Amino acid sequence: MVLVKATEDSEKGFLPTAWASEMLEAMGKFNDELRSAGILLAADGLKPSMYGKRITFDGTGRTVIDGPFAETRELVAGFWLWEVKDMDEAVAWVQRCPNPMPGPSEIEIRPLYEAADLS
């Protein structure tokens, strides 16, 4: 799973700017390349955390917390689910990715558990 980390800009929500139009076009082309390579399983952007909720668990108790959430650097703004042969291939693809934010940004790659990992 490839996680696009949130920034202060992404937490403001989508703003139709010239930069956003260029980024969406570049990201669309990148997603087309991923599809053509046969590795894209799913992809989407997430609305800002002000639209989200967190549910905390403590034994049988549940608490619902409304967004927005304070620690922007710990939030996710979007994701891809890729099927690649190894981490090196995932890194190579991310290095080709257009910057998803108007300023500095970060993308995190995390492998999913597979059945063999759990036995």
Side-chain angles (χ1 to χ4, degrees), residues 64-109:
V64 177
I65 302 166
D66 294 328
F69 308 119
E71 294 296 324
T72 301
R73 70 181 189 280
E74 295 179 8
L75 300 175
V76 175
F79 71 93
W80 286 279
L81 189 56
W82 296 348
E83 188 170 349
V84 293
K85 66 181 179 202
D86 56 27
M87 184 62 81
D88 290 339
E89 183 180 10
V91 168
W93 276 101
V94 171
Q95 289 176 324
R96 295 174 54 187
C97 180
N99 186 349
M101 302 293 167
S105 66
E106 185 175 325
I107 292 179
E108 180 178 338
I109 306 169

Side-chain angles (χ1 to χ4, degrees), residues 4 21-35 80 97-101 107:
V4 177
S21 294
E22 290 173 18
M23 186 275 300
L24 288 174
E25 184 177 334
M27 201 60 76
K29 289 178 183 176
F30 181 68
N31 285 338
D32 288 344
E33 290 179 41
L34 293 168
R35 257 184 232 93
W80 286 279
C97 180
N99 186 349
M101 302 293 167
I107 292 179

